[in-house]
Amino acid sequence: MKKILVIQQKMIGDVLAGTIVCEHLKIHFPATEVHYLVDEHTTAVVDGNPFVDELVLFKKDYRKSKLLFYYFLKSIKKQHYDVTIDLLCKTESNIISWFSKAPIRISYPKWYSKFIYTHTYKHSQKKPSVLGMAIDNRLLLLQPLIHELKKPQIAPQLYLSDDEISTAKQTLLNNKITGKKPLLMFGVLGSSESKTYPLPYMAHLLNQIIEKYDLDCIINYIPKQKPEVEQLLSRCTKKTREAINLNVFGGSLREFLALLSQCDAYFGNEGGASHMAKALNKPNFSIFAPWISKNAWMTYQNNSSNRAVHLEDFHPDAIHFSSKKERKLKIPQNYQLFKPELFEEKLFEFFNDEVISHQ
């Protein structure tokens, strides 16, 4: 094999998870070129990755113009890939796989697209490994190429330059964050309202944390989200507001990652930020949205520094036997059930074990 295309469009967390497939390919076939096709807004979690030889960018314009999409497909065909691994298996990636004309095309079986692929594998029905189902299902697609993984439990990693880290350290110093106290990253807003723990509940938790621990804190947000952040802070105590430095935030995703690399822990909504914290080997405590599968996205459960809570841990009847569609319809009701008192003690245990004891 000379050249393999791994296709993983969609969200940042998906793209980060997909890098593990690229890494295994380079471990087993070091002379093979591994190209990684991702949406252009997600490249920050792949930049600097030594296991990706070339990034192939899927641009927003390709969704607006059939002609531009066609030209993109022609460029894929010209690459003469030996293998395509489609980790998404949606209409766009189906078409890309078909146009690649690779002799080996691997993905998941769907009635409308299975004819495109030479090998298809159903999502695992087994109990998730410690890696989590999201990783397990991606690794399934390596079966036609790799019979046994040399390093079966490696985790996705993020790679920052010395300059990026140095700039983040200086930014913190400029804002009087000196490292004398543990530095916490709060992920107070999810990627959407349906993935955001209710602000009154989150404010309560922040107040409890700051009352109990002497910390410096920064928030994961972008400027356009400042009104929501201020709404949250209006519910916080003066002591909590003083502990949070709103002047420190990432102007870009790479800047955010560099700042996160300097934190002692992440606490907040489960999603891209929590997965990035794991990929930077930072302890993190995540709150799952009630409609998201904890089985799928609770990764690396064998590591005590990775902890999470889900409504199903406390009110399983509200979740079990419901389809994803049904859970989405009940998001407000389920979030109201997910009271912070249910897991405060677990949260304090996390801080005691993974943050305070390491100082």
Side-chain angles (χ1 to χ4, degrees):
M1 289 181 295
K2 295 180 180 178
K3 200 181 291 186
I4 298 175
L5 177 66
V6 180
I7 304 169
Q8 178 63 89
Q9 296 155 277
K10 215 177 176 185
M11 305 295 283
I12 286 169
D14 300 285
V15 171
L16 179 57
T19 60
I20 203 72
V21 172
C22 300
E23 184 166 352
H24 282 296
L25 289 170
K26 291 299 285 187
I27 289 170
H28 288 263
F29 311 109
T32 296
E33 278 190 43
V34 175
H35 294 191
Y36 195 27
L37 192 160
V38 301
D39 285 342
E40 60 181 339
H41 71 279
T42 65
T43 59
V45 296
V46 191
D47 289 342
N49 191 307
F51 304 104
V52 176
D53 295 300
E54 187 173 317
L55 267 177
V56 182
L57 302 186
F58 193 93
K59 300 180 179 180
K60 287 189 288 187
D61 289 344
Y62 301 157
R63 295 191 174 102
K64 299 175 184 176
S65 167
K66 291 180 181 178
L67 183 61
L68 289 177
F69 186 37
Y70 175 68
Y71 288 147
F72 173 73
L73 293 171
K74 286 182 70 173
S75 72
I76 293 293
K77 185 177 179 181
K78 287 179 181 177
Q79 288 288 339
H80 301 293
Y81 290 109
D82 298 288
V83 180
T84 60
I85 303 175
D86 180 0
L87 303 177
L88 182 62
C89 201
K90 300 287 186 181
T91 302
E92 282 175 354
S93 60
N94 298 154
I95 296 170
I96 293 166
S97 296
W98 176 253
F99 262 79
S100 76
K101 301 303 179 186
I104 299 174
R105 299 185 296 276
I106 311 165
S107 194
Y108 306 106
K110 294 186 177 177
W111 67 267
Y112 57 84
S113 62
K114 60 183 179 182
F115 72 94
I116 291 172
Y117 302 97
T118 60
H119 301 74
T120 57
Y121 295 88
K122 292 182 179 179
H123 284 177
S124 175
Q125 300 301 312
K126 298 177 182 177
K127 182 180 178 181
S129 73
V130 295
L131 301 174
M133 193 67 78
I135 302 292
D136 292 347
N137 284 328
R138 284 167 171 81
L139 296 183
L140 276 177
L141 301 189
L142 289 171
Q143 289 185 70
L145 309 177
I146 302 170
H147 297 301
E148 186 174 348
L149 298 174
K150 292 179 181 178
K151 298 180 179 180
Q153 293 194 4
I154 53 175
Q157 295 288 307
L158 288 162
Y159 300 87
L160 295 165
S161 70
D162 291 341
D163 284 346
E164 288 173 317
I165 292 171
S166 177
T167 299
K169 288 179 177 178
Q170 191 60 51
T171 297
L172 293 173
L173 286 174
N174 291 346
N175 286 276
K176 300 180 181 179
I177 298 176
T178 61
K180 292 180 180 178
K181 302 177 185 178
L183 178 58
L184 180 67
M185 175 71 79
F186 281 142
V188 297
L189 300 173
S191 58
S192 65
E193 187 176 350
S194 69
K195 291 185 178 181
T196 299
Y197 193 58
L199 296 186
Y201 287 177
M202 183 63 81
H204 171 85
L205 288 171
L206 300 192
N207 289 336
Q208 294 293 96
I209 291 167
I210 298 304
E211 187 60 38
K212 196 172 180 67
Y213 305 104
D214 188 18
L215 307 169
D216 281 323
C217 306
I218 56 179
I219 286 181
N220 170 27
Y221 78 103
I222 55 178
K224 71 177 184 180
Q225 294 174 319
K226 195 166 184 179
E228 290 97 317
V229 171
E230 290 177 342
Q231 183 185 345
L232 171 79
L233 293 180
S234 71
R235 297 175 177 274
C236 292
T237 64
K238 181 181 177 183
K239 186 176 181 180
T240 299
R241 292 195 298 272
E242 289 175 347
I244 295 171
N245 193 321
L246 278 186
N247 294 321
V248 180
F249 62 90
S252 69
L253 186 50
R254 292 296 290 187
E255 289 177 15
F256 162 73
L257 291 173
L259 289 169
L260 181 56
S261 77
Q262 300 308 300
C263 293
D264 294 287
Y266 168 88
F267 161 67
N269 291 283
E270 186 277 336
S274 65
H275 295 292
M276 289 185 272
K278 291 179 186 180
L280 289 168
N281 300 309
K282 298 297 173 182
N284 75 98
F285 189 104
S286 302
I287 304 172
F288 271 84
W291 62 276
I292 298 290
S293 168
K294 189 179 180 185
N295 264 353
W297 286 104
M298 181 54 197
T299 52
Y300 305 102
Q301 298 179 63
N302 60 330
N303 186 338
S304 66
S305 68
N306 295 329
R307 306 188 194 184
V309 287
H310 193 291
L311 179 63
E312 69 179 342
D313 299 332
F314 310 98
H315 292 288
D317 291 346
I319 299 297
H320 293 172
F321 313 114
S322 298
S323 67
K324 186 175 181 178
K325 183 177 180 180
E326 289 170 332
R327 293 197 301 273
K328 279 191 168 184
L329 290 173
K330 296 196 298 182
I331 288 171
Q333 302 96 299
N334 282 339
Y335 260 137
Q336 287 305 308
L337 277 177
F338 203 1
K339 296 183 184 300
E341 293 82 4
L342 293 172
F343 57 89
E344 275 181 6
E345 289 305 313
K346 290 179 180 289
L347 182 58
F348 297 151
E349 285 175 11
F350 166 78
F351 274 98
N352 292 335
D353 294 345
E354 303 298 333
V355 182
I356 304 306
S357 66
H358 291 198
Q359 292 300 305

